[in-house]
Amino acid sequence: MWTLISASPSPYARKVRIALAEKGIPFTLQTEVPWDGATVTPQYNPLEKLPVLILDNGECVYESHYILEWLEAKHPEPALLPSDIDERLFAKKVEVVCDGMCDAMVIAFFERMREPAKQSEPWKARQMRKVEGGLRQLSTWIEKREGQYLIGDRLTIADLAIAAFLGWFAIRWSEHQWQSQYPKLKQYWEGLEALPHFKETRPSPQTIKDQVV
Ligand SMILES: N[C@@H](CCC(=O)N[C@@H](CS(=O)(=O)O)C(=O)NCC(=O)O)C(=O)O
């Protein structure tokens, strides 16, 4: 059986967990704290990042957007990408924005872990601008949807990426007012979070023991 190396808060890993569940692929979940020196993550990914999908033959698939692409190629049913090429490319573009917002949040999170005197305010402000810009973009895209999903009438990686970011953002930065600022985005997100495989993969904080920065 495959193993997925994951972390309890990881929005990137959550996309893969939902995709595997949607495709009915059984797997062992191995929860790690990739920031702690004791983690096994570097044994499976030279970039030392999770998620990592470990196959039965020991091959490792890593980088969440690539894992999803790999899954679509190897296990195409049920598809998590639209058949129309422009809609497929749009779904991937949405994932780019959501992953980029996650990246910016991670950078800002660890900047805040530095001693206050060593923190760069411009650098933190730059990261948070990316998050605010991304939220504006998601809100614009959401306006155009008809039903429960962003694209067409079925779940795609665009929905996985948006829910993974917003679900993590809601616990990482609980005081941010995005839900009142963007009520339609909140309503769309809550609709996804009510789905079984989203309910089963809700993020939770982790404790990082070692000094990272
Ligand atoms: N672009 C990567 C980002 C993955 C990532 O940053 N993972 C974090 C953990 S989490 O933020 O998702 O919880 C990690 O392993 N970081 C360890 C490191 O960067 O050395 C992906 O999409 O898979």
Side-chain angles (χ1 to χ4, degrees):
M1 186 186 290
W2 295 352
T3 296
L4 179 69
I5 299 185
S6 175
S8 56
S10 178
Y12 310 97
R14 190 183 185 196
K15 291 187 296 180
V16 178
R17 292 170 67 186
I18 296 171
L20 289 166
E22 287 292 321
K23 291 178 180 285
I25 300 171
F27 65 98
T28 302
L29 186 70
Q30 181 172 334
T31 299
E32 289 283 323
V33 179
W35 309 103
D36 283 345
T39 184
V40 298
T41 308
Q43 295 172 30
Y44 301 100
N45 176 359
L47 303 175
E48 302 193 5
K49 294 182 179 213
L50 55 82
V52 183
L53 188 62
I54 307 169
L55 309 181
D56 293 339
N57 64 2
E59 185 189 343
C60 296
V61 187
Y62 36 75
E63 195 64 28
S64 62
H65 68 86
Y66 174 67
I67 298 172
L68 293 179
E69 187 150 3
W70 188 93
L71 281 173
E72 283 308 298
K74 295 281 192 176
H75 290 265
E77 296 303 330
L80 288 173
L81 277 172
S83 47
D84 173 82
I85 187 60
D86 291 316
E87 289 186 339
R88 279 171 87 85
L89 291 170
F90 175 54
K92 288 176 180 282
K93 182 174 181 177
V94 173
E95 185 179 27
V96 164
V97 169
C98 294
D99 282 3
M101 293 162 80
C102 291
D103 296 344
M105 281 296 292
V106 170
I107 292 169
F109 174 78
F110 283 104
E111 187 67 16
R112 290 194 194 97
M113 298 266 271
R114 298 183 192 285
E115 294 162 38
K118 291 186 178 170
Q119 293 184 26
S120 165
E121 291 311 316
W123 182 243
K124 284 189 290 187
R126 174 180 289 271
Q127 304 315 316
M128 296 333 292
R129 278 203 314 271
K130 297 171 194 283
V131 174
E132 298 300 343
L135 285 168
R136 261 195 313 278
Q137 181 59 75
L138 292 185
S139 172
T140 303
W141 282 333
I142 289 300
E143 293 289 338
K144 299 189 176 81
R145 88 192 195 291
E146 272 92 49
Q148 178 174 18
Y149 305 114
L150 180 65
I151 305 170
D153 58 358
R154 60 188 299 175
L155 186 73
T156 68
I157 62 164
D159 302 305
L160 271 51
I162 296 175
F165 170 75
L166 292 176
W168 179 61
F169 192 59
I171 61 168
R172 257 285 177 265
W173 194 0
S174 53
E175 67 276 12
H176 192 286
Q177 293 304 307
W178 68 272
Q179 298 185 50
S180 48
Q181 201 176 352
Y182 303 113
K184 285 188 180 173
L185 184 61
K186 173 181 188 279
Q187 181 198 21
Y188 156 78
W189 169 59
E190 288 175 337
L192 292 177
E193 291 287 4
L195 296 171
H197 297 144
F198 289 72
K199 272 187 190 165
E200 293 157 16
T201 59
R202 287 270 167 80
S204 58
Q206 70 187 352
T207 301
I208 302 174
K209 295 193 194 76
D210 296 357
Q211 180 167 354
V212 180
V213 293

